[in-house]
Amino acid sequence: MRGLLARRMKFHLLGAFLVSLGCATLYKFAVAEPRKRAYAEFYKNYDPMKDFEAMKAAGVFESAPAK
Amino acid sequence: MANHSQFGFQDASSPIMEELMQFHDHALMVALAICSLVLYLLAHMLSEKLSSSTVNAQEIELVWTILPAMVLVMLALPSLRILYMMDEINEPDLTLKAIGHQWYWTYEYTDLKDLTFDSYMTPTADLPLGHFRLLEVDHRVIVPTNSTVRVIVTADDVLHSWAVPSLGVKTDAIPGRLNQTSFLTPRPGIYYGQCSEICGANHSFMPIVVEAVPLANFENWSSLSSS
């Protein structure tokens, strides 16, 4: 029983740090990295003129009305 | 524009906004780590029946001083990096002035033969089908894509704020003062924002709409509008 609290505290303090690192890592690989990849994928083969022509044909632009 | 019940940021339409989103992810990650640590320790403390007779806690006090300082440095460094990035001298291709009034915006394109126009919100009764309520305007801010646009923001009467979330821009419009911001958008499209400083009864009804088109179309529009 000697030093029981100190032993338990050390164990749980380590556990707490591992849990918090785990949460941060989970967020990083579940949210942050997929978001970066999504933006990279979007811009890899992005054609702004094609996008513009599609939007123009839909008639959404004030400065470039659809013919 | 934001969808109904949208929780996160709008899709980034400028490199600065992408950086801001990544920094927000970083800051949220740090906040999540700290909150989960505190929650775990709180749950443990509340369920622990032993008591402590500690009188000398030098080591743990050192740890819980150094660790938060390191966390703060981890937050400060990327934050300062983006702050300085936003203020880089970037040789704008176009400068336009946005003047806030109660309750509309005036835009001046003095680079282009003094083109000036007012931008009022389209009333709901006059809204064409498919347009967005309280977000559409009669005259949009037309800008070229892939060009650094500098916006000088000021106000004529009370405080306003020129904000377009997807471009990562929000600049206060203060009477008697010129504030400067700049953005660059690689994507053509229409980007919505709203006045972001309380300015009276119709503060919610003076939106901002930025229309980004390729340079050739921008030049065509500006020559037609100036004449």
Side-chain angles (χ1 to χ4, degrees):
Chain A
M1 287 279 283
R2 268 176 204 266
L4 183 60
L5 179 66
R7 217 167 41 242
R8 255 190 213 172
M9 282 298 300
K10 267 192 206 141
F11 175 78
H12 281 286
L13 215 53
L14 187 65
F17 274 110
L18 287 175
V19 164
S20 77
L21 275 173
C23 284
T25 314
L26 192 68
Y27 184 88
K28 184 178 168 74
F29 289 106
V31 177
E33 290 302 315
R35 203 200 301 277
K36 277 190 209 162
R37 267 198 305 274
Y39 275 88
E41 281 299 316
F42 177 82
Y43 280 109
K44 204 161 59 166
N45 297 316
Y46 178 65
D47 183 354
M49 283 314 296
K50 187 171 155 204
D51 207 15
F52 170 72
E53 292 301 334
M55 285 191 271
K56 182 178 169 182
V60 296
F61 288 124
E62 177 188 307
S63 62
K67 289 194 181 90
Chain B
M1 57 150 256
N3 295 319
H4 306 92
S5 74
Q6 179 163 334
F7 209 53
F9 291 122
Q10 295 179 33
D11 286 342
S13 303
S14 76
I16 291 285
M17 189 58 204
E18 286 180 40
E19 292 284 343
L20 287 169
M21 282 175 93
Q22 285 172 24
F23 175 69
H24 179 263
D25 279 337
H26 172 75
L28 208 55
M29 197 170 69
V30 171
L32 197 65
I34 293 168
C35 285
S36 55
L37 178 77
V38 170
L39 205 61
Y40 184 112
L41 288 175
L42 183 65
H44 177 57
M45 287 296 112
L46 290 174
S47 54
E48 181 62 67
K49 289 193 173 61
L50 297 171
S51 63
S52 169
S53 52
T54 308
V55 292
N56 187 4
Q58 196 65 25
E59 300 86 3
I60 194 159
E61 295 219 355
L62 199 65
V63 167
W64 72 35
T65 307
I66 302 285
L67 232 50
M70 284 166 54
V71 167
L72 287 175
V73 169
M74 264 177 59
L75 284 173
L77 290 180
S79 173
L80 287 171
R81 179 183 147 264
I82 296 177
L83 192 66
Y84 276 77
M85 196 189 290
M86 284 161 74
D87 272 344
E88 273 171 357
I89 308 292
N90 50 21
E91 298 291 336
D93 299 304
L94 173 72
T95 299
L96 66 105
K97 200 160 155 194
I99 304 164
H101 306 266
Q102 283 177 310
W103 290 282
Y104 63 98
W105 293 94
T106 300
Y107 298 106
E108 291 180 7
Y109 290 70
T110 43
D111 286 355
L112 317 161
K113 287 188 194 164
D114 288 326
L115 170 59
T116 302
F117 55 88
D118 294 336
S119 179
Y120 281 84
M121 184 188 86
T122 306
T124 307
D126 301 337
L127 213 51
L129 214 57
H131 281 215
F132 302 122
R133 192 179 70 92
L134 307 184
L135 284 176
E136 301 287 353
V137 295
D138 54 1
H139 300 112
R140 295 171 174 170
V141 185
I142 316 291
V143 297
T145 53
N146 277 317
S147 310
T148 306
V149 178
R150 172 169 59 189
V151 187
I152 311 279
V153 184
T154 186
D156 203 32
D157 36 41
V158 298
L159 295 179
H160 300 272
S161 185
W162 199 80
V164 184
S166 73
L167 300 173
V169 163
K170 183 180 289 181
T171 307
D172 282 357
I174 298 164
R177 182 184 168 89
L178 298 174
N179 281 333
Q180 175 181 294
T181 189
S182 67
F183 64 87
L184 178 148
T185 176
R187 287 197 290 133
I190 302 160
Y191 308 111
Y192 295 92
Q194 294 177 286
C195 178
S196 297
E197 187 66 44
I198 187 82
C199 55
N202 287 346
H203 155 68
S204 311
F205 309 115
M206 50 180 292
I208 297 132
V209 184
V210 176
E211 183 175 299
V213 293
L215 185 61
N217 297 83
F218 171 77
E219 286 173 343
N220 196 35
W221 167 81
S222 66
S223 62
L224 284 172
S225 305
S226 304
S227 55

